[in-house]
């Protein structure tokens, strides 16, 4: 058994997880079709975990009690090795805790536990954040899985759409230089359907910052499909690189990039979790492969 990765198996799917970043690196359906982006040259990641921020801070600066810390896009969890807690044929659990290295960038104590569990065609992912310190823990967390686009080789990318469980009439947010633009924009979702095209991502991610749905389906009219649901995440990002990259990311988030006009203390940044000392927060998402 490799200490660097772990493979989960069920009668309907297989998945693989890396110790580095606690990152999902493979997800195949029952027919053995790889559905997860395999970290090709357009983007060298599969499904990074975003913590303790989602998106960017202005000037990559985190300010806390008169000090400034360098915090780059999406935080540091994706670049740290997690420790294995549990490794079973159909599940695994990993943990990251604060250290002298993390406190140079993020002056807070925390324990982040990630569990992957595979049952039939469902991959359940649980994220558990605990404040192990003596002051309020301000943080964001998000998932960033990239799925192959198209899922079926040779199928036109524009054959695919996201179909939400509810109608999504609310305006969306877009980014400029990695920060939230000041004004919302009309949603590209028509009823419950977001048609996918490369031009959709000319202005970076589509951010549903008041998403009404708790699930969606990513599919064309034939071939493999993905159903995704989430609990505890109030925002959803949809992203691909605007240069024809063959993947699309479906990203449940708690928190977003900083507003372009926000320049205050990190703890005052909109959209953060605020955990009291000893408090724990659990967030979940599920990927069903078809």
């Amino acid at each position: 058994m490799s200490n660097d990765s772990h493979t989960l198996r069920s009668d309907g799917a297989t998945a693989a997880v890396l110790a580095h970043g606690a990152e999902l690196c493979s997800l195949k359906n029952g027919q053995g079709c790889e559905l997860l982006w395999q970290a090709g040259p357009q983007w060298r990641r599969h499904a990074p975990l975003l913590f303790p921020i989602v998106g960017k801070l202005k000037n990559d600066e985190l300010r806390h009690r008169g000090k400034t810390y360098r915090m780059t896009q999406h935080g540091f969890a994706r670049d740290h090795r997690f420790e294995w807690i549990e490794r079973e044929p159909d599940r695994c659990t990993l943990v990251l805790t604060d250290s002298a290295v993390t406190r140079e960038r993020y002056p807070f104590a925390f324990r982040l536990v990630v569990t992957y569990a595979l049952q039939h065609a469902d991959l359940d992912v649980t994220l558990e954040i605990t404040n192990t310190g003596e002051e309020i823990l301000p943080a964001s967390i998000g998932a960033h899985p990239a799925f192959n686009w198209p899922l079926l080789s040779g199928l036109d990318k524009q054959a695919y759409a996201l179909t939400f469980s509810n109608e999504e009439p609310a305006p969306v947010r877009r980014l400029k230089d990695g920060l939230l633009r000041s004004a919302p924009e009309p949603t590209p979702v028509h009823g419950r359907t977001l048609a996918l095209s490369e031009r959709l991502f000319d202005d970076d991610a589509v951010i549903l910052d008041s998403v009404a749905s708790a699930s969606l389906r990513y599919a064309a009219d034939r071939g493999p499909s993905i159903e995704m649901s989430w609990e505890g995440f109030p925002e959803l990002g949809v992203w691909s690189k605007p240069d024809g990259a063959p993947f699309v990311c479906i990203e449940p988030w708690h928190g977003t990039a900083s507003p372009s006009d926000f320049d205050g203390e990190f703890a005052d940044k909109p959209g953060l979790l605020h955990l009291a000392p000893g408090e724990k927060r659990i967030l979940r998402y599920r990927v069903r492969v078809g």
Side-chain angles (χ1 to χ4, degrees):
M1 182 184 295
S2 169
N3 201 40
D4 294 328
S5 64
H6 182 72
T7 299
L8 293 70
R9 304 184 189 278
S10 75
D11 56 1
T14 62
V17 177
L18 300 171
H20 184 84
E23 183 175 3
L24 182 70
C25 64
S26 177
L27 182 61
K28 298 179 181 178
N29 64 13
Q31 291 72 50
C33 178
E34 180 63 74
L35 305 177
L36 198 70
W37 168 245
Q38 290 301 289
Q42 296 95 334
W43 191 56
R44 292 293 190 183
R45 300 183 188 267
H46 306 272
L49 177 62
L50 315 183
F51 178 86
I53 65 169
V54 171
K56 284 179 65 68
L57 303 180
K58 191 171 184 179
N59 299 320
D60 292 331
E61 293 179 346
L62 184 154
R63 297 178 181 175
H64 181 64
R65 296 188 174 182
K67 293 188 66 176
T68 299
Y69 302 82
R70 178 167 172 77
M71 177 66 71
T72 52
Q73 184 176 25
H74 293 325
F76 52 71
R78 62 184 183 169
D79 296 318
H80 278 255
R81 184 183 178 89
F82 285 59
E83 299 298 323
W84 301 104
I85 296 177
E86 178 187 27
R87 304 176 73 179
E88 299 293 340
D90 61 351
R91 64 187 295 117
C92 65
T93 302
L94 308 94
V95 63
L96 178 70
T97 56
D98 64 283
S99 66
V101 173
T102 69
R103 287 191 293 271
E104 288 180 356
R105 301 178 61 188
Y106 182 64
F108 303 99
F110 66 88
R111 185 172 190 263
L112 175 59
V113 178
V114 185
T115 298
Y116 294 90
L118 193 60
Q119 184 176 17
H120 305 303
D122 291 345
L123 178 66
D124 290 308
V125 185
T126 302
L127 309 177
E128 178 186 297
I129 311 167
T130 303
N131 181 354
T132 57
E134 298 179 352
E135 64 176 313
I136 295 292
L137 174 66
S140 285
I141 191 165
H144 201 318
F147 301 105
N148 288 328
W149 180 29
L151 292 171
L152 181 63
S153 179
L155 203 58
D156 192 287
K157 293 172 75 174
Q158 295 193 108
Y160 285 83
L162 304 185
T163 304
F164 291 87
S165 58
N166 296 343
E167 292 194 355
E168 296 289 348
V172 300
R173 306 300 296 271
R174 302 302 293 255
L175 302 171
K176 182 175 176 56
D177 299 325
L179 303 177
L180 281 182
R181 293 179 177 177
S182 58
E185 301 185 13
T187 180
V189 182
H190 296 281
R192 297 191 301 121
T193 303
L194 176 60
L196 294 179
S197 70
E198 292 175 354
R199 296 303 303 271
L200 180 65
F201 304 107
D202 284 351
D203 290 329
D204 211 309
V206 177
I207 301 169
L208 288 75
D209 65 341
S210 55
V211 62
S213 300
S215 65
L216 60 76
R217 185 171 187 264
Y218 163 50
D221 59 1
R222 60 189 174 94
S225 63
I226 294 286
E227 295 181 26
M228 195 164 178
S229 58
W230 52 89
E231 300 175 26
F233 297 96
E235 296 97 12
L236 186 78
V238 182
W239 175 75
S240 185
K241 295 195 79 170
D243 57 2
F247 64 82
V248 62
C249 296
I250 305 170
E251 310 176 41
W253 293 342
H254 197 301
T256 65
S258 292
S260 58
D261 59 353
F262 178 79
D263 202 24
E265 287 274 301
F266 178 67
D268 296 328
K269 178 181 177 291
L272 294 179
L273 292 160
H274 291 91
L275 303 186
E279 186 178 356
K280 178 189 300 183
R281 184 70 60 91
I282 296 175
L283 307 92
R284 298 182 174 90
Y285 71 95
R286 170 178 289 177
V287 181
R288 175 172 293 172
V289 302

